[in-house]
Amino acid sequence: MIDILAEAARITALGECARRPARDAVNLPMINNWVEAIGDTNAVYVDEAAARVAGHPGLVAPPAMIQVWTMGGLHGQRASGDPLGQMIGVLDEAGFTSVVATNCEQTYHRYLGHGEQVTVSTRLGEVVGPKTTSLGEGWFVTTHNVWYAGDEPVAQMLFRVLKFRPGTAIPAPAADVLRPVISHDTAFFWAGTAAGELRIQQCTACGSLRHPPGPMCPSCGADKPDYVLAIGRGQVFSYVVHHHPAVPGKTLPFVVALVELNEGVRMIGELIDVDPASVQIGMPVELALTRIDDELTLPFWRPSRAAR
Amino acid sequence: MSAAVIGIGQTAYSRASRRSEWSLAVEAIERALADCGVAPGDVDGLVRYSYDAVDEAMLVRSFGWRLRYYSQTGYGGLGAPAVLAQASAAVASGQARIVVCYRSLNGYSTTRYGRAERSLGCAGGEFVARGDRAPSGAFAGPYGLLSPGQVMAMWARRYQWEAGIAEQDLVRALSRVAIDQRAQAQRNPAAVMHGRPLNEDAYLAGRVIASPLRVFDLALETDGAAAVVVAAPDVARAVATPPVWITAAVVGMFAYAESISVYGELRNGPTYREIAERLFAEASVRPADLRAAMIYDATSVSVLLGMEAYGLAAPGTAWRAVLDHGIGDTAPVPVNTSGGHLSEAYVHGMNLVVEAVRQCRGSSSAQVERSGPVLVSSGPSAVVLSP
């Protein structure tokens, strides 16, 4: 069992690691590539006259390139004494093998001129955990970098990563909705909405429609229901504009309508994309099947396009 | 006449009883028994609301009863007339001679019936929309249709449309219901809203809950209990209190007639009116003969719908009748004379039953001077009580 906090304390106690030099001095070819890639058109980085007009002694490097100068290149290896590398190793070993960067805050003390040779140091800051996150159980690791020109600090960075245990993510909280309890009698309805259909129960014997669904036909007593697909049009039979109290997941006021479908049955649904003051009984509406999440699609309604 | 209400009792009505519902039930029943002078040991039947947290086992233990009959009524507020119907049937069939009916709830401090949580299910620690009834069911809850008040706002909107009136007319009629019931509460010292009159400006300044309903259109939330004693004719004639006869009763149920449904017909519809006509035929009275009517008022619009269902106004006209005459002393048939659920207390209809008995006895705080029977109705359930 790895004592993550003890390891973190040990690495933190090492303080700032040895400074690592940049591969190249600050130079125009790298700057040209970078500003083109980023789309930075500021002339002070590429036009010496413009730089002088702006008050610089000559061409300067974009401050945000600071980390570029000390990157390891395509095949670069992290130095063995690097505190971030050490801490990541500890967490990898403890099973927190996945990583995502969460924070990067850079501070620039001055512009760098061409030809300057920078170095960078790293020290370990806070190691916080274990935390339950939406990605999984993990630790937040914060490091502090300082870039130097000679012994002069020219920039610094707070960098934080989340090292997490893969496969421990808590499912994203479902949309703030009251879930319908699905029964043997109603499963076909909800399977329908998920499939993009609005299903109305129909008696196989006499053909009459009914909603909400049930096991027996109230018209003829037959107990073999099937369903038909609603065309998804109807009109407002009645409605309520709800003002108070607040309802989870809803923005006040909201409109709930009792919709009389063209097929004849009535169905409750939220009326969306509508000014509550404009709703009227008899108003034509059309189906707006709304996917809430993987498990639930709700039939909502909106004013019919023809009427808008 | 096969059964009569002989005793009534109620606790204080408040928003903070600081007592158990069990304790409230015991007090209301003790008062009802004391009212008619029946010894607690003589009770042999009990009818309660299925919703009541105080059950038969608790009460037989408290009172030492040996019951021969007990039963329950479903669907909440539909139980107000239904408990009397069952008690009457139990007495008429000889299964019991003295039946207690009660309702006890800490409707503010424990169970708030207007809240969605009551009717939602629970799964994995989360609320879920179960069943298919609205509000709160699988086909309603996900849209935020969660409370009785919202459903009754839909009724109100539909009523406005069917009556062919402007929202302004509907709101004036609803406000008149709320204001008149509040005025009756000023005459009833037991009413929660005693001392707190309401005028139209204050009504209109009330918060909109679910338009077109405002806060004053909705029933109160009350801690309290009420009880009545129903007995066979020989018992009724032997006690000191004047008997109030249960002359007709109906406990109706048909598709979507359960409490607070959004489907089916509006509660002034033809099936409701047929039920009412049969009830009045059995009671041998006409709606116009009524002394008063207690119409279950979960919201103000229920009063308009109930007036039309039970023949106090033609369909689509109760709003006009209310604007013309109100529902108080100047109405042809005064409604909810104690202040009702909007202003006396919300005891799930039992306080309306108690007030109906008071009207029959001549002891209401808003006593209607003329004689005649009294209606107690709640959707498809109703009784006619006669002195």
Side-chain angles (χ1 to χ4, degrees), chain B residues 6-387:
Chain B
I6 59 169
I8 53 176
Q10 68 190 46
T11 64
Y13 298 145
S14 75
R15 287 188 117 189
S17 72
R18 299 189 175 85
R19 297 163 60 184
S20 70
E21 291 166 329
W22 191 356
S23 156
L24 292 170
V26 166
E27 181 187 332
I29 293 167
E30 280 184 320
R31 286 177 181 273
L33 292 170
D35 178 51
C36 52
V38 166
D42 290 342
V43 172
D44 61 357
L46 190 66
V47 182
R48 73 172 178 100
Y49 289 53
S50 62
Y51 284 25
D52 211 300
V54 184
D55 65 20
E56 300 85 353
M58 296 158 86
L59 290 176
V60 295
R61 230 177 330 136
S62 291
F63 284 97
W65 290 330
R66 293 174 63 183
L67 299 182
R68 293 197 298 144
Y69 176 89
Y70 67 90
S71 64
Q72 301 176 9
T73 64
Y75 302 102
L78 300 194
V83 288
L84 293 190
Q86 287 198 20
S88 169
V91 168
S93 66
Q95 294 180 78
R97 278 171 51 78
I98 300 176
V99 181
V100 164
C101 309
Y102 68 98
R103 182 70 173 107
S104 178
L105 71 167
N106 279 328
Y108 186 78
S109 62
T110 303
T111 304
R112 302 181 67 173
Y113 280 79
R115 295 290 172 104
E117 306 89 89
R118 231 206 104 259
S119 47
L120 288 169
C122 209
E126 301 278 325
F127 283 120
V128 292
R130 70 176 172 195
D132 70 0
R133 291 181 56 205
S136 300
F139 297 106
Y143 306 107
L145 190 73
L146 297 171
S147 68
Q150 292 172 311
V151 171
M152 291 173 199
M154 272 197 192
W155 294 355
R157 188 62 77 189
R158 184 69 192 178
Y159 176 78
Q160 178 201 329
W161 190 87
E162 290 188 359
I165 58 177
E167 176 165 352
Q168 190 186 336
D169 294 324
L170 174 72
V171 168
R172 282 172 58 225
L174 297 179
S175 75
R176 187 69 190 269
V177 169
I179 290 164
D180 281 5
Q181 290 194 198
R182 184 63 68 91
Q184 299 291 35
Q186 305 317 305
R187 303 156 83 174
N188 174 6
V192 171
M193 288 298 167
H194 182 70
R196 295 176 64 183
L198 180 71
N199 62 29
E200 188 158 9
D201 288 343
Y203 169 90
L204 291 172
R207 175 181 229 164
V208 175
I209 301 297
S211 67
L213 299 184
R214 289 171 165 77
V215 64
F216 297 114
D217 292 307
L218 306 183
L220 303 173
E221 296 172 300
T222 309
D223 292 358
V228 300
V229 181
V230 174
D234 60 320
V235 178
R237 291 193 182 95
V239 297
T241 47
V244 173
W245 301 100
I246 300 169
T247 52
V250 58
V251 184
M253 182 55 75
F254 50 93
Y256 305 117
E258 71 271 19
S259 50
I260 327 164
S261 175
V262 299
Y263 305 105
E265 61 187 74
L266 201 57
R267 284 167 192 243
N268 59 353
T271 316
Y272 292 92
R273 298 202 300 272
E274 279 171 35
I275 281 173
E277 281 165 21
R278 209 177 108 196
L279 175 82
F280 289 127
E282 284 172 14
S284 300
V285 297
R286 295 170 304 159
D289 299 333
L290 292 172
R291 177 183 308 206
M294 305 303 145
I295 298 175
Y296 194 91
D297 53 334
T299 63
S300 56
V301 72
S302 313
V303 172
L304 301 184
L305 296 172
M307 285 174 68
E308 294 182 8
Y310 286 89
L312 301 183
T317 68
W319 68 277
R320 168 58 67 190
V322 166
L323 285 182
D324 287 347
H325 306 293
I327 60 168
D329 291 347
T330 55
V333 177
V335 176
N336 295 348
T337 46
S338 66
H341 291 135
L342 302 183
S343 285
E344 183 191 36
Y346 182 72
V347 196
H348 230 169
M350 277 307 287
N351 55 314
L352 299 182
V353 171
V354 169
E355 172 65 6
V357 174
R358 284 192 296 247
Q359 282 290 354
C360 288
R361 289 179 176 182
S363 64
S364 167
S365 54
Q367 185 60 44
V368 177
E369 290 309 324
R370 68 197 183 99
S371 62
V374 176
L375 171 76
V376 183
S377 75
S378 180
S381 296
V383 292
V384 174
L385 301 180
S386 304

Side-chain angles (χ1 to χ4, degrees), chain A residues 198 211 232-239 255-272 279 282-287 299-302, chain B residues 154 158 262-263:
Chain A
L198 187 64
H211 182 86
R233 293 187 181 278
Q235 51 178 288
V236 173
F237 183 84
S238 192
Y239 66 98
V255 185
V256 181
L258 182 61
V259 175
E260 188 159 87
L261 275 61
N262 284 8
E263 291 81 1
V265 298
R266 291 177 202 152
M267 217 174 263
I268 299 162
E270 187 170 347
L271 194 52
I272 58 173
V279 181
M283 179 175 178
V285 292
E286 62 186 29
L287 181 65
F300 286 21
W301 298 84
R302 62 162 62 102
Chain B
M154 272 197 192
R158 184 69 192 178
V262 299
Y263 305 105

